[in-house]
Amino acid sequence: MRAFVVNRYKGPLQQAEVPEPVAGERDVLVQVRAAGLNQLDEKIRTGEFRQILPYKLPLILGNDVAGTVIGVGAKVRGFRLGDEVYARPGQDRIGTFAERIAIAEDDLALKPATISFEEAASLPLVALTAWQALVERGNVRPGHRVLIHAGSGGVGTVAIQLAKHLGATVATTVSAGNAEFVRELGADVVIDYRTQDFEKMLDGYDLVLDSLGGKNLEKSLRVLRPGGKAIGIAGPPDPAFARELGTNAVLRLVMTALSGRIRRQARRLGVKYEFLFMRASGDQLRQITALVDSGVLRPVVGRVFDFDQTTQAVQSLSQGGLRGKAVITTP
């Protein structure tokens, strides 16, 4: 089977022949039709997350998939041969830049019927991130005010639509060239991050979804109302995440220290900071499928690469400027 593999951290992504995936009794074997590209793929390749995600190398990259079921384990009950499905595989079982992959049944859902494989492959990681930030963590309700940074990106395009569906007033930061695009997605307040300072324009927000970190995250705390919450998906990781991950005592201390400054700033302002590293969930994907098929959410695919262009596709992640997601198609 052909796949794209990282042999060492910071090394190139290379096409290689690898063993066929083995499906366990509760696994589903999927013929990959398309795979979404995420910044997480590049961060894993460079080793940025190796303390949090200690992958064994060589490693097949890829965190999003849409495809067709070609095999099911003995105890699988929810899927059958020929089903069109999509998923974000569990973090310890990634590898969608390949011709086939075995995925736990609990992480899988039927693909939305109204969209293509390429569009479906663009959704799982970013849609689950948006869902877990806005619905699970943020408890967004009608009347809430939500700031979503980088609104034209993969997470942002989905999060804007979901927040509007939940009844929120949505502000977002983008370049001027993407202003009309995010308004069409549902943004109420659009801020040009190059010429405008969102901290001076916004106040009293209930929730911020931050994908940039650093100074941007610090400024985001200051636009929240007392008791408001900033959810960061670019870090720094916090103690709650360390506990959720089940890390050892040393790594828990490291994560506590990394997020100490931003958590102290949040406490002084009377707000909260939480780090979110999304988890796989077939149940949540089924709810997202319903929203897609009812027209509430639409995927945004900015570019499609052929399978043989996977190395080039991953390299393009650092260039930025893409609306929505890039996707790889697999013959």
Side-chain angles (χ1 to χ4, degrees):
M1 178 185 75
R2 293 185 303 159
F4 280 84
V5 175
V6 172
N7 290 296
R8 57 184 174 83
Y9 288 123
K10 299 185 180 179
L13 190 65
Q14 298 176 318
Q15 187 173 162
E17 286 291 330
V18 300
E20 289 287 337
V22 177
E25 61 183 11
R26 297 188 184 278
D27 292 342
V28 177
L29 186 62
V30 176
Q31 181 77 40
V32 178
R33 297 288 300 275
L37 287 152
N38 297 281
Q39 290 295 334
L40 178 60
D41 298 308
E42 180 65 1
K43 290 181 178 181
I44 292 172
R45 185 191 69 82
T46 60
E48 186 173 335
F49 281 171
R50 60 183 166 185
Q51 286 187 315
I52 298 174
L53 303 173
Y55 288 115
K56 182 180 178 181
L57 302 179
L59 171 71
I60 303 172
L61 282 184
N63 286 271
D64 278 324
V65 66
T68 306
V69 174
I70 57 173
V72 295
K75 294 187 177 180
V76 170
R77 297 291 179 265
F79 300 93
R80 59 187 179 182
L81 299 183
D83 281 346
E84 296 181 350
V85 294
Y86 72 148
R88 194 282 187 175
Q91 64 187 35
D92 58 342
R93 299 186 63 179
I94 67 170
T96 64
F97 297 166
E99 293 176 311
R100 289 170 287 283
I101 185 173
I103 303 172
E105 179 182 19
D106 288 346
D107 297 339
L108 201 64
L110 293 176
K111 174 184 87 63
T114 56
I115 60 176
S116 67
F117 281 108
E118 290 78 13
E119 291 172 316
S122 76
L123 281 174
L125 187 143
V126 296
L128 288 170
T129 299
W131 184 277
Q132 290 165 22
L134 301 178
V135 177
E136 276 194 344
R137 301 280 193 95
N139 192 26
V140 173
R141 301 186 301 276
H144 277 187
R145 293 194 286 176
V146 176
L147 169 60
I148 296 165
H149 286 294
S152 63
V155 173
T157 52
V158 177
I160 288 171
Q161 296 176 77
L162 181 57
K164 286 301 295 183
H165 171 67
L166 295 171
T169 297
V170 180
T172 191
T173 55
V174 291
S175 64
N178 284 318
E180 188 57 35
F181 167 66
V182 293
R183 288 192 182 97
E184 291 173 358
L185 294 177
D188 301 289
V189 180
V190 179
I191 299 166
D192 180 356
Y193 70 88
R194 290 174 176 158
T195 62
Q196 297 175 301
D197 185 348
F198 72 88
E199 184 186 355
K200 295 179 180 178
M201 300 176 64
L202 305 177
D203 184 52
Y205 270 62
D206 298 278
L207 184 72
V208 177
L209 177 54
D210 176 73
S211 56
L212 302 172
K215 293 294 184 182
N216 196 80
L217 176 57
E218 293 179 14
K219 291 173 63 175
S220 294
L221 298 177
R222 297 193 285 270
V223 307
L224 291 167
R225 63 166 176 77
K229 182 184 296 185
I231 296 175
I233 59 175
D238 59 8
F241 174 67
R243 290 192 297 271
E244 177 185 329
L245 207 59
T247 57
N248 60 47
V250 173
L251 194 50
R252 286 199 298 272
L253 287 172
V254 170
M255 291 189 189
T256 299
L258 286 172
S259 61
R261 184 168 181 265
I262 195 70
R263 288 185 292 110
R264 287 191 296 272
Q265 290 178 337
R267 282 196 299 271
R268 284 196 295 268
L269 292 166
V271 301
K272 300 176 183 177
Y273 164 71
E274 293 180 5
F275 174 68
L276 172 64
F277 191 91
M278 61 72 56
R279 70 184 190 281
S281 173
D283 287 340
Q284 291 179 356
L285 279 179
R286 281 184 276 278
Q287 296 179 78
I288 290 163
T289 292
L291 293 179
V292 173
D293 282 340
S294 65
V296 171
L297 295 180
R298 68 176 177 91
V300 178
V301 176
R303 187 173 179 185
V304 177
F305 293 86
D306 291 333
F307 183 72
D308 289 336
Q309 297 176 301
T310 298
T311 299
Q312 174 189 344
V314 173
Q315 290 171 345
S316 75
L317 290 171
S318 62
Q319 298 171 6
L322 187 73
R323 288 181 177 177
K325 291 281 290 292
V327 174
I328 297 161
T329 57
T330 303

PDB file of all heavy atoms in Angstrom, residues 149-174:
ATOM      1  N   HIS A 149     -11.190  34.151  15.821  1.00  0.00           N
ATOM      2  CA  HIS A 149     -10.026  34.643  15.086  1.00  0.00           C
ATOM      3  C   HIS A 149      -9.791  33.817  13.830  1.00  0.00           C
ATOM      4  O   HIS A 149     -10.183  32.646  13.749  1.00  0.00           O
ATOM      5  CB  HIS A 149      -8.783  34.619  15.977  1.00  0.00           C
ATOM      6  CG  HIS A 149      -8.776  35.695  17.014  1.00  0.00           C
ATOM      7  ND1 HIS A 149      -8.690  37.033  16.687  1.00  0.00           N
ATOM      8  CD2 HIS A 149      -8.850  35.643  18.369  1.00  0.00           C
ATOM      9  CE1 HIS A 149      -8.701  37.750  17.797  1.00  0.00           C
ATOM     10  NE2 HIS A 149      -8.815  36.939  18.828  1.00  0.00           N
ATOM     11  N   ALA A 150      -9.133  34.445  12.846  1.00  0.00           N
ATOM     12  CA  ALA A 150      -8.793  33.765  11.587  1.00  0.00           C
ATOM     13  C   ALA A 150     -10.036  33.149  10.948  1.00  0.00           C
ATOM     14  O   ALA A 150     -10.086  31.962  10.647  1.00  0.00           O
ATOM     15  CB  ALA A 150      -7.715  32.709  11.818  1.00  0.00           C
ATOM     16  N   GLY A 151     -11.021  33.983  10.722  1.00  0.00           N
ATOM     17  CA  GLY A 151     -12.327  33.498  10.285  1.00  0.00           C
ATOM     18  C   GLY A 151     -12.370  32.885   8.903  1.00  0.00           C
ATOM     19  O   GLY A 151     -13.318  32.167   8.584  1.00  0.00           O
ATOM     20  N   SER A 152     -11.364  33.129   8.071  1.00  0.00           N
ATOM     21  CA  SER A 152     -11.379  32.555   6.723  1.00  0.00           C
ATOM     22  C   SER A 152     -10.634  31.233   6.649  1.00  0.00           C
ATOM     23  O   SER A 152     -10.577  30.606   5.587  1.00  0.00           O
ATOM     24  CB  SER A 152     -10.769  33.535   5.710  1.00  0.00           C
ATOM     25  OG  SER A 152      -9.397  33.780   6.027  1.00  0.00           O
ATOM     26  N   GLY A 153     -10.062  30.780   7.772  1.00  0.00           N
ATOM     27  CA  GLY A 153      -9.316  29.531   7.787  1.00  0.00           C
ATOM     28  C   GLY A 153     -10.202  28.320   8.000  1.00  0.00           C
ATOM     29  O   GLY A 153     -11.431  28.410   8.029  1.00  0.00           O
ATOM     30  N   GLY A 154      -9.560  27.162   8.178  1.00  0.00           N
ATOM     31  CA  GLY A 154     -10.307  25.914   8.295  1.00  0.00           C
ATOM     32  C   GLY A 154     -11.260  25.893   9.466  1.00  0.00           C
ATOM     33  O   GLY A 154     -12.462  25.641   9.310  1.00  0.00           O
ATOM     34  N   VAL A 155     -10.759  26.150  10.671  1.00  0.00           N
ATOM     35  CA  VAL A 155     -11.627  26.178  11.853  1.00  0.00           C
ATOM     36  C   VAL A 155     -12.584  27.359  11.783  1.00  0.00           C
ATOM     37  O   VAL A 155     -13.778  27.237  12.071  1.00  0.00           O
ATOM     38  CB  VAL A 155     -10.796  26.233  13.144  1.00  0.00           C
ATOM     39  CG1 VAL A 155     -11.701  26.427  14.361  1.00  0.00           C
ATOM     40  CG2 VAL A 155      -9.969  24.960  13.307  1.00  0.00           C
ATOM     41  N   GLY A 156     -12.075  28.510  11.390  1.00  0.00           N
ATOM     42  CA  GLY A 156     -12.875  29.733  11.398  1.00  0.00           C
ATOM     43  C   GLY A 156     -14.108  29.666  10.527  1.00  0.00           C
ATOM     44  O   GLY A 156     -15.196  30.095  10.933  1.00  0.00           O
ATOM     45  N   THR A 157     -13.975  29.112   9.320  1.00  0.00           N
ATOM     46  CA  THR A 157     -15.131  29.081   8.413  1.00  0.00           C
ATOM     47  C   THR A 157     -16.262  28.236   8.978  1.00  0.00           C
ATOM     48  O   THR A 157     -17.442  28.575   8.815  1.00  0.00           O
ATOM     49  CB  THR A 157     -14.714  28.529   7.030  1.00  0.00           C
ATOM     50  OG1 THR A 157     -14.030  27.277   7.194  1.00  0.00           O
ATOM     51  CG2 THR A 157     -13.809  29.500   6.296  1.00  0.00           C
ATOM     52  N   VAL A 158     -15.915  27.136   9.648  1.00  0.00           N
ATOM     53  CA  VAL A 158     -16.947  26.294  10.258  1.00  0.00           C
ATOM     54  C   VAL A 158     -17.480  26.938  11.534  1.00  0.00           C
ATOM     55  O   VAL A 158     -18.693  26.944  11.785  1.00  0.00           O
ATOM     56  CB  VAL A 158     -16.395  24.889  10.558  1.00  0.00           C
ATOM     57  CG1 VAL A 158     -17.458  24.036  11.258  1.00  0.00           C
ATOM     58  CG2 VAL A 158     -15.940  24.208   9.280  1.00  0.00           C
ATOM     59  N   ALA A 159     -16.582  27.497  12.353  1.00  0.00           N
ATOM     60  CA  ALA A 159     -16.988  28.061  13.640  1.00  0.00           C
ATOM     61  C   ALA A 159     -17.933  29.248  13.460  1.00  0.00           C
ATOM     62  O   ALA A 159     -18.882  29.412  14.242  1.00  0.00           O
ATOM     63  CB  ALA A 159     -15.755  28.477  14.440  1.00  0.00           C
ATOM     64  N   ILE A 160     -17.706  30.075  12.457  1.00  0.00           N
ATOM     65  CA  ILE A 160     -18.609  31.204  12.209  1.00  0.00           C
ATOM     66  C   ILE A 160     -20.015  30.686  11.931  1.00  0.00           C
ATOM     67  O   ILE A 160     -21.005  31.160  12.511  1.00  0.00           O
ATOM     68  CB  ILE A 160     -18.103  32.061  11.027  1.00  0.00           C
ATOM     69  CG1 ILE A 160     -16.849  32.849  11.428  1.00  0.00           C
ATOM     70  CG2 ILE A 160     -19.200  33.031  10.551  1.00  0.00           C
ATOM     71  CD1 ILE A 160     -16.180  33.550  10.256  1.00  0.00           C
ATOM     72  N   GLN A 161     -20.112  29.712  11.049  1.00  0.00           N
ATOM     73  CA  GLN A 161     -21.435  29.179  10.685  1.00  0.00           C
ATOM     74  C   GLN A 161     -22.118  28.513  11.872  1.00  0.00           C
ATOM     75  O   GLN A 161     -23.325  28.684  12.091  1.00  0.00           O
ATOM     76  CB  GLN A 161     -21.278  28.169   9.546  1.00  0.00           C
ATOM     77  CG  GLN A 161     -20.753  28.767   8.257  1.00  0.00           C
ATOM     78  CD  GLN A 161     -20.541  27.688   7.197  1.00  0.00           C
ATOM     79  OE1 GLN A 161     -21.492  27.210   6.574  1.00  0.00           O
ATOM     80  NE2 GLN A 161     -19.291  27.294   6.988  1.00  0.00           N
ATOM     81  N   LEU A 162     -21.347  27.763  12.663  1.00  0.00           N
ATOM     82  CA  LEU A 162     -21.931  27.077  13.809  1.00  0.00           C
ATOM     83  C   LEU A 162     -22.376  28.075  14.876  1.00  0.00           C
ATOM     84  O   LEU A 162     -23.468  27.925  15.464  1.00  0.00           O
ATOM     85  CB  LEU A 162     -20.923  26.081  14.385  1.00  0.00           C
ATOM     86  CG  LEU A 162     -21.393  25.266  15.586  1.00  0.00           C
ATOM     87  CD1 LEU A 162     -22.654  24.477  15.261  1.00  0.00           C
ATOM     88  CD2 LEU A 162     -20.284  24.337  16.068  1.00  0.00           C
ATOM     89  N   ALA A 163     -21.556  29.081  15.138  1.00  0.00           N
ATOM     90  CA  ALA A 163     -21.920  30.083  16.143  1.00  0.00           C
ATOM     91  C   ALA A 163     -23.199  30.823  15.745  1.00  0.00           C
ATOM     92  O   ALA A 163     -24.058  31.098  16.597  1.00  0.00           O
ATOM     93  CB  ALA A 163     -20.770  31.068  16.341  1.00  0.00           C
ATOM     94  N   LYS A 164     -23.330  31.141  14.467  1.00  0.00           N
ATOM     95  CA  LYS A 164     -24.565  31.798  14.008  1.00  0.00           C
ATOM     96  C   LYS A 164     -25.760  30.868  14.168  1.00  0.00           C
ATOM     97  O   LYS A 164     -26.845  31.298  14.575  1.00  0.00           O
ATOM     98  CB  LYS A 164     -24.426  32.220  12.540  1.00  0.00           C
ATOM     99  CG  LYS A 164     -23.535  33.428  12.338  1.00  0.00           C
ATOM    100  CD  LYS A 164     -24.028  34.654  13.094  1.00  0.00           C
ATOM    101  CE  LYS A 164     -25.363  35.153  12.569  1.00  0.00           C
ATOM    102  NZ  LYS A 164     -25.804  36.389  13.275  1.00  0.00           N
ATOM    103  N   HIS A 165     -25.589  29.602  13.866  1.00  0.00           N
ATOM    104  CA  HIS A 165     -26.668  28.628  14.042  1.00  0.00           C
ATOM    105  C   HIS A 165     -27.102  28.547  15.503  1.00  0.00           C
ATOM    106  O   HIS A 165     -28.298  28.370  15.793  1.00  0.00           O
ATOM    107  CB  HIS A 165     -26.199  27.256  13.559  1.00  0.00           C
ATOM    108  CG  HIS A 165     -27.139  26.138  13.885  1.00  0.00           C
ATOM    109  ND1 HIS A 165     -28.397  26.026  13.318  1.00  0.00           N
ATOM    110  CD2 HIS A 165     -27.016  25.082  14.748  1.00  0.00           C
ATOM    111  CE1 HIS A 165     -28.999  24.956  13.803  1.00  0.00           C
ATOM    112  NE2 HIS A 165     -28.201  24.366  14.668  1.00  0.00           N
ATOM    113  N   LEU A 166     -26.147  28.709  16.413  1.00  0.00           N
ATOM    114  CA  LEU A 166     -26.447  28.643  17.842  1.00  0.00           C
ATOM    115  C   LEU A 166     -27.065  29.941  18.366  1.00  0.00           C
ATOM    116  O   LEU A 166     -27.449  30.016  19.533  1.00  0.00           O
ATOM    117  CB  LEU A 166     -25.172  28.324  18.627  1.00  0.00           C
ATOM    118  CG  LEU A 166     -24.558  26.947  18.353  1.00  0.00           C
ATOM    119  CD1 LEU A 166     -23.185  26.836  19.011  1.00  0.00           C
ATOM    120  CD2 LEU A 166     -25.471  25.831  18.839  1.00  0.00           C
ATOM    121  N   GLY A 167     -27.142  30.963  17.524  1.00  0.00           N
ATOM    122  CA  GLY A 167     -27.815  32.199  17.895  1.00  0.00           C
ATOM    123  C   GLY A 167     -26.914  33.316  18.358  1.00  0.00           C
ATOM    124  O   GLY A 167     -27.403  34.334  18.873  1.00  0.00           O
ATOM    125  N   ALA A 168     -25.600  33.180  18.177  1.00  0.00           N
ATOM    126  CA  ALA A 168     -24.659  34.186  18.665  1.00  0.00           C
ATOM    127  C   ALA A 168     -24.484  35.324  17.670  1.00  0.00           C
ATOM    128  O   ALA A 168     -24.709  35.177  16.463  1.00  0.00           O
ATOM    129  CB  ALA A 168     -23.303  33.541  18.936  1.00  0.00           C
ATOM    130  N   THR A 169     -24.055  36.461  18.199  1.00  0.00           N
ATOM    131  CA  THR A 169     -23.493  37.536  17.386  1.00  0.00           C
ATOM    132  C   THR A 169     -22.015  37.236  17.226  1.00  0.00           C
ATOM    133  O   THR A 169     -21.313  37.005  18.210  1.00  0.00           O
ATOM    134  CB  THR A 169     -23.679  38.899  18.065  1.00  0.00           C
ATOM    135  OG1 THR A 169     -25.081  39.171  18.181  1.00  0.00           O
ATOM    136  CG2 THR A 169     -23.005  40.004  17.270  1.00  0.00           C
ATOM    137  N   VAL A 170     -21.527  37.232  15.973  1.00  0.00           N
ATOM    138  CA  VAL A 170     -20.176  36.753  15.692  1.00  0.00           C
ATOM    139  C   VAL A 170     -19.295  37.864  15.154  1.00  0.00           C
ATOM    140  O   VAL A 170     -19.635  38.528  14.165  1.00  0.00           O
ATOM    141  CB  VAL A 170     -20.207  35.585  14.680  1.00  0.00           C
ATOM    142  CG1 VAL A 170     -18.790  35.085  14.396  1.00  0.00           C
ATOM    143  CG2 VAL A 170     -21.079  34.460  15.201  1.00  0.00           C
ATOM    144  N   ALA A 171     -18.157  38.043  15.803  1.00  0.00           N
ATOM    145  CA  ALA A 171     -17.098  38.905  15.287  1.00  0.00           C
ATOM    146  C   ALA A 171     -15.950  38.022  14.837  1.00  0.00           C
ATOM    147  O   ALA A 171     -15.728  36.943  15.389  1.00  0.00           O
ATOM    148  CB  ALA A 171     -16.610  39.879  16.361  1.00  0.00           C
ATOM    149  N   THR A 172     -15.219  38.486  13.830  1.00  0.00           N
ATOM    150  CA  THR A 172     -14.073  37.704  13.366  1.00  0.00           C
ATOM    151  C   THR A 172     -12.980  38.618  12.845  1.00  0.00           C
ATOM    152  O   THR A 172     -13.236  39.764  12.467  1.00  0.00           O
ATOM    153  CB  THR A 172     -14.495  36.704  12.277  1.00  0.00           C
ATOM    154  OG1 THR A 172     -13.427  35.792  12.018  1.00  0.00           O
ATOM    155  CG2 THR A 172     -14.854  37.410  10.977  1.00  0.00           C
ATOM    156  N   THR A 173     -11.752  38.099  12.837  1.00  0.00           N
ATOM    157  CA  THR A 173     -10.599  38.825  12.304  1.00  0.00           C
ATOM    158  C   THR A 173     -10.128  38.139  11.033  1.00  0.00           C
ATOM    159  O   THR A 173      -9.935  36.921  10.998  1.00  0.00           O
ATOM    160  CB  THR A 173      -9.443  38.865  13.323  1.00  0.00           C
ATOM    161  OG1 THR A 173      -9.110  37.519  13.717  1.00  0.00           O
ATOM    162  CG2 THR A 173      -9.835  39.653  14.554  1.00  0.00           C
ATOM    163  N   VAL A 174      -9.948  38.936   9.971  1.00  0.00           N
ATOM    164  CA  VAL A 174      -9.476  38.437   8.674  1.00  0.00           C
ATOM    165  C   VAL A 174      -8.725  39.561   7.975  1.00  0.00           C
ATOM    166  O   VAL A 174      -8.689  40.696   8.451  1.00  0.00           O
ATOM    167  CB  VAL A 174     -10.649  37.985   7.762  1.00  0.00           C
ATOM    168  CG1 VAL A 174     -11.329  36.738   8.285  1.00  0.00           C
ATOM    169  CG2 VAL A 174     -11.668  39.114   7.583  1.00  0.00           C
TER     170      VAL A 174
END
